Amino acid sequence: MQDTGLNILAIAIFSITLSVLLGPLFNLSPFIPASLTFLMLSFITIDTLSWKNQGVNLLLNIFASKEEKERIIYHEAGHFLTAYLYNIPIIDYSLSPWEAVKKKISGSGGVIFDNNFIPNKKSQDLKEFNSIIERFGIVLMAGIAAEKFIYNNSEGGQEDRQKFQEIYSNLTLTYSNFQLKQRLAIIQATTIIEQNKESYLALVEAMKQRKSVAECQVIIQLVNK
């Protein structure tokens, strides 16, 4: 179960337990908290196993503030820009769980890459393979870098860190070396965003307008000229 689902489950259990304890004071039937418990556990179980936490993401998005929704755009624009500059193929993007549902994108959305560009290690020159992994690692950390660039901190990026760990899982790294690579990737992504600040901000505006991947790429090209 994802951290978000666990947090909501913990809050739900606390609330239901509180209602059980305070129920007699307000003449609340024990059937009500029992029913709520069953419904909540059923929802979270189905959401986790079948919908990949899509239901929880949709629920949280309803209560998300304007700043939180805007932060997502800046985060995803970081992924998009670095992927484009590294010639990593972008299939699509979404900026909310509801957009992801409409586009039939799993999870809460984000920038969707064509992972076929990552070659099989056995059929690839080791130096070239490591170079591709390193570039993709920078792209994955670019969302965190973008948030820090705009807001001086990062609230998202847990899934990005997990994916970063996955792509490096086949390489022999100590924990300290892995952490070093992750921090270095964030620094490199930050440098790319700073050096391409005008393109990045133009891309953010284009994504706010939900322009297509092709249109966003043209905007980056025009600004970079």
Side-chain angles (χ1 to χ4, degrees):
M1 185 182 293
Q2 300 258 339
D3 290 342
T4 302
L6 286 172
N7 291 335
I8 290 180
L9 179 59
I11 293 171
I13 291 174
F14 173 78
S15 300
I16 293 168
T17 302
L18 192 63
S19 69
V20 171
L21 294 175
L22 298 179
L25 296 177
F26 300 97
N27 295 319
L28 185 67
S29 170
F31 176 76
I32 295 177
S35 299
L36 290 174
T37 301
F38 175 77
L39 290 173
M40 183 62 68
L41 291 176
S42 298
F43 168 74
I44 293 177
T45 301
I46 294 172
D47 185 47
T48 302
L49 298 178
S50 302
W51 300 338
K52 298 181 180 179
N53 290 287
Q54 197 80 319
V56 169
N57 290 328
L58 285 169
L59 182 64
L60 291 177
N61 186 67
I62 294 173
F63 300 102
S65 67
K66 182 179 179 181
E67 180 182 335
E68 288 172 330
K69 293 178 180 179
E70 192 168 74
R71 183 185 280 264
I72 290 173
I73 300 175
Y74 284 105
H75 181 105
E76 299 304 335
H79 291 309
F80 194 117
L81 177 67
T82 50
Y84 172 80
L85 294 175
Y86 277 139
N87 295 316
I88 292 175
I90 300 169
I91 297 175
D92 204 348
Y93 72 90
S94 65
L95 301 175
S96 72
W98 177 239
E99 289 180 20
V101 169
K102 290 193 293 183
K103 293 184 176 184
K104 298 181 180 180
I105 296 172
S106 62
S108 58
V111 179
I112 310 302
F113 309 105
D114 182 358
N115 290 332
N116 290 326
F117 80 93
I118 301 179
N120 187 313
K121 185 177 180 181
K122 294 181 180 179
S123 62
Q124 185 78 12
D125 176 77
L126 184 59
K127 184 177 180 180
E128 178 63 20
F129 175 83
N130 288 338
S131 176
I132 292 172
I133 293 297
E134 183 176 329
R135 292 199 298 272
F136 191 42
I138 292 171
V139 171
L140 290 174
M141 293 296 98
I144 294 172
E147 283 193 60
K148 290 183 177 180
F149 178 68
I150 298 296
Y151 299 99
N152 295 320
N153 63 54
S154 174
E155 294 182 357
Q158 183 60 34
E159 291 182 11
D160 299 331
R161 292 182 188 276
Q162 291 174 352
K163 185 66 177 178
F164 187 93
Q165 185 173 358
E166 287 174 11
I167 67 169
Y168 274 98
S169 62
N170 292 327
L171 303 179
T172 304
L173 292 174
T174 63
Y175 179 76
S176 59
N177 285 340
F178 173 78
Q179 295 288 10
L180 179 62
K181 277 192 172 293
Q182 195 172 81
R183 288 195 295 270
L184 181 59
I186 293 174
I187 293 172
Q188 291 173 302
T190 301
T191 300
I192 292 172
I193 293 170
E194 289 175 343
Q195 292 175 342
N196 297 272
K197 182 178 178 179
E198 291 185 8
S199 298
Y200 171 69
L201 294 178
L203 174 62
V204 168
E205 292 304 314
M207 293 177 74
K208 285 181 179 179
Q209 299 172 36
R210 303 311 195 262
K211 291 187 179 295
S212 68
V213 170
E215 289 173 318
C216 289
Q217 290 172 335
V218 169
I219 288 171
I220 296 173
Q221 290 174 1
L222 292 175
V223 176
N224 281 344
K225 282 186 177 180

